[in-house]
Amino acid sequence: MQNESSDFEIKFYPRGPKSTEWKIWPKAGGVAVASGVGESWILAECAAKKALERLAAKNRP
């Protein structure tokens, strides 16, 4: 599953029965700019969205 902003995309990766890893990738390519692991899908999605908001705030002119 992917959620998208203008410059980045979030990708989720299952990590065992009770955790999900998330990574934020630049759409232009390259290495992940942020990542983390949540104890559930919901927690991982919430953490990834917060990280994406912080990243977007940093990159605003």
Side-chain angles (χ1 to χ4, degrees):
M1 179 179 183
Q2 297 176 358
N3 295 327
E4 298 181 359
S5 74
S6 58
D7 298 323
F8 302 98
E9 61 184 347
I10 302 172
K11 294 186 180 181
F12 296 93
Y13 306 93
R15 295 290 183 240
K18 294 189 176 186
S19 64
T20 301
E21 181 179 7
W22 56 269
K23 292 185 179 186
I24 299 177
W25 299 88
K27 286 186 178 180
V31 298
V33 293
S35 65
V37 176
E39 293 179 9
S40 69
W41 176 267
I42 300 294
L43 293 175
E45 184 178 28
C46 193
K49 285 181 181 180
K50 286 181 184 178
L52 186 61
E53 288 173 8
R54 287 191 303 267
L55 219 90
K58 266 186 174 178
N59 291 330
R60 287 189 188 136

